[in-house]
Amino acid sequence: MSATGKIIRTNEDIRNDFPLIARSGYAYLDNAATSQKPASVIEAESSFYTDHNANPMRGFYPLSLDATAIYEDARKSVASFIGAASSDEIVFTRNATESINLVAYSWGLNNIKAGDEIAVSIAEHHSNMLPWQMVAKATGATLRYIECDTDGTFTDEELMRTINNRTKLVAFGHVSNVLGRCNPVRKIIDMAHSAGALVLIDASQSIPHMKIDVMDLGADFLAFSGHKLLAPMGIGVLYGRRSLLDDMPPFLMGGEMIESVRRDGAKYAEVPHKFEAGTVNAAGAAALAEAIRYISDIGYEYITNRDRELTIRALEALKRTDHVHILGSIDNEDHNGIISFTIDNVHPHDISEILAGDKVCIRAGHHCAQPLLEHIKTPSCARASIMFYNNEDDIDRFTESVANIRSRLGWE
């Protein structure tokens, strides 16, 4: 127990909270794709169905009222977690992809016109690029790509080149899912606002690893997926400033997003409910609230330090291995738990398959970031991504397997 009375938990204690990690024997290093789930999160989702299952906001009997309360309490948990001014600024979606599409269709198509510009970083996941390609084509606006250096850095000169008084929206990832670079989002937001533009931040890769405060950042929109944050698949979040959400039409039409319906039209519900048509994922929201509680209990200080220790351990071992090339910055501190690499004369898919035989789980391919890989002249790569429940043995198994790949294929 610490001097403050908080119980200090070991890494082994934490690993035992995750059933798959504790039982499988895998060195799971594909956390940028999806995180593992602690037992308490799995139980929270299960408990909704076993103890509270009813359609939220549809009935006035106790079970439905309980389900509604659980769902809305989850919204309050998210709002508090990211520093939103109100829970009304939190819209539940399926994932970050749906959150970004909601903004593209509901705000983009109604506020962007021919002659306007949309600025998107070249390092974006396709989910934060394709919707803006769609908006540009549909409206006649110009899509401008903000180019990065090979280490993922966006220079001030490049930002000033692409963000100007014609820019209506800037779409940027907080942390690159390929290079691990944490982008200067506050600077980008300030520059965009000075030019009269709004900013959408994709926080999918950052929020599992670092504290985010949307009010402090000055974000207009922010999206993330629950499944990368220890929560189940199928629950995501869109944060939007209330004044913006109020002016946006619904993205989907159907049940529960209306106040009244007539033969000739409808009056929509207030935000956030006008964006949540149909039966909602209440169990997923309850589990997301539990994931937030779990993350908060562990604390971002521990998470950040653990990410850093394990990332440095992995990078230093890879740097000592012949024929291995690490993508992005040469500075270990710039990778934020994401390590993308290539091996001479070995296809990334072969790297992944060989490591899978050693029960080491990594990702290989273009990582839904083909324009970035084309920009840095790397068709595809392998990627290991770290979470705070990983340990030194996971890292050592990974780096030892990588070190032996070329000899196992007969190259040495």
Side-chain angles (χ1 to χ4, degrees):
M1 184 175 292
S2 70
T4 61
K6 185 175 181 178
I7 296 174
I8 298 174
R9 305 187 68 211
T10 67
N11 178 257
E12 191 61 29
D13 291 334
I14 291 169
R15 286 173 68 84
N16 286 332
D17 289 341
F18 293 79
L20 189 147
I21 294 293
R23 301 170 189 167
S24 69
Y26 285 116
Y28 183 80
L29 296 170
D30 194 21
N31 295 287
T34 195
S35 68
Q36 295 302 323
K37 322 303 176 191
S40 62
V41 168
I42 297 169
E43 290 163 7
E45 185 176 42
S46 175
S47 175
F48 179 86
Y49 289 121
T50 56
D51 300 328
H52 307 286
N53 187 46
N55 210 317
M57 299 168 287
R58 302 292 177 92
F60 291 98
Y61 52 91
L63 206 56
S64 180
L65 295 175
D66 286 348
T68 302
I70 290 169
Y71 186 66
E72 293 303 327
D73 284 347
R75 197 189 308 276
K76 292 175 185 175
S77 293
V78 175
S80 176
F81 186 58
I82 64 171
S86 166
S87 61
D88 291 343
E89 296 181 319
I90 304 301
V91 178
F92 284 126
T93 61
R94 290 182 303 150
N95 43 47
T97 300
E98 184 174 290
S99 297
I100 295 167
N101 273 273
L102 192 162
V103 177
Y105 279 90
S106 187
W107 184 87
L109 293 179
N110 289 284
N111 289 276
I112 294 173
K113 61 185 184 302
D116 292 339
E117 295 185 0
I118 305 166
V120 178
S121 101
I122 196 65
E124 293 312 292
H125 188 284
H126 297 163
S127 295
N128 200 23
M129 185 177 287
L130 296 179
W132 307 116
Q133 290 181 357
M134 177 277 298
V135 170
K137 289 178 182 178
T139 62
T142 299
L143 186 63
R144 292 169 65 88
Y145 288 105
I146 310 171
E147 312 282 354
C148 64
D149 293 338
T150 55
D151 67 353
T153 301
F154 291 89
T155 65
D156 288 351
E157 292 76 14
E158 179 64 9
L159 291 170
M160 289 186 286
R161 182 186 72 83
T162 48
I163 300 173
N164 55 64
N165 59 11
R166 294 182 298 278
T167 308
K168 295 301 179 184
L169 182 93
V170 180
F172 233 95
H174 195 173
V175 169
S176 166
N177 73 310
V178 175
L179 303 179
R181 169 74 70 171
C182 183
N183 294 313
V185 293
R186 187 178 301 173
K187 177 196 290 186
I188 293 165
I189 289 170
D190 288 345
M191 290 180 66
H193 287 174
S194 294
L198 300 184
V199 182
L200 183 145
I201 299 298
D202 180 357
S204 297
Q205 293 299 336
S206 58
I207 200 165
H209 304 279
M210 59 189 70
K211 180 65 177 173
I212 289 177
D213 187 315
V214 293
M215 295 284 285
D216 182 55
L217 290 176
D220 300 300
F221 300 105
L222 182 137
F224 66 90
S225 295
H227 71 91
K228 299 180 192 292
L229 188 70
L230 312 185
M233 298 179 184
I235 187 73
V237 169
L238 171 67
Y239 159 80
R241 285 197 288 112
R242 176 64 189 262
S243 59
L244 296 171
L245 296 177
D246 279 339
D247 290 340
M248 290 162 53
F251 174 40
L252 298 173
M253 306 291 178
E256 203 50 49
M257 47 73 65
I258 53 85
E259 183 176 311
S260 62
V261 177
R262 304 173 305 279
R263 290 179 180 234
D264 59 350
K267 182 177 181 181
Y268 303 124
E270 295 293 315
V271 297
H273 298 289
K274 72 175 178 179
F275 298 112
E276 296 177 355
T279 296
V280 298
N281 184 2
L288 175 58
E290 174 56 27
I292 286 171
R293 186 208 62 77
Y294 185 92
I295 288 280
S296 300
D297 184 55
I298 297 295
Y300 274 115
E301 181 178 1
Y302 174 88
I303 290 169
T304 301
N305 288 336
R306 191 64 181 156
D307 289 344
R308 179 179 177 275
E309 292 168 359
L310 296 177
T311 303
I312 290 173
R313 187 183 186 95
L315 284 168
E316 288 301 319
L318 293 178
K319 287 176 181 178
R320 294 191 297 268
T321 304
D322 292 339
H323 302 287
V324 172
H325 306 280
I326 297 165
L327 275 60
S329 175
I330 60 172
D331 188 342
N332 296 338
E333 302 285 346
D334 291 333
H335 284 266
N336 294 290
I338 292 176
I339 302 167
S340 295
F341 63 100
T342 60
I343 302 176
D344 290 339
N345 303 118
V346 184
H347 194 282
H349 289 169
D350 292 330
I351 298 172
S352 177
E353 186 172 356
I354 291 169
L355 264 62
D358 294 336
K359 300 196 76 172
V360 177
C361 306
I362 68 165
R363 187 78 172 265
H366 55 66
H367 311 290
C368 296
Q370 286 180 287
L372 171 62
L373 290 176
E374 180 180 317
H375 177 63
I376 62 175
K377 298 178 173 55
T378 304
S380 63
C381 62
R383 181 190 70 191
S385 47
I386 292 163
M387 201 70 165
F388 63 88
Y389 46 67
N390 288 122
N391 64 9
E392 286 77 6
D393 181 62
D394 292 338
I395 301 304
D396 294 345
R397 287 168 59 190
F398 158 61
T399 56
E400 288 166 11
S401 290
V402 169
N404 293 324
I405 282 177
R406 280 175 55 87
S407 63
R408 290 161 74 174
L409 290 174
W411 285 104
E412 296 177 356

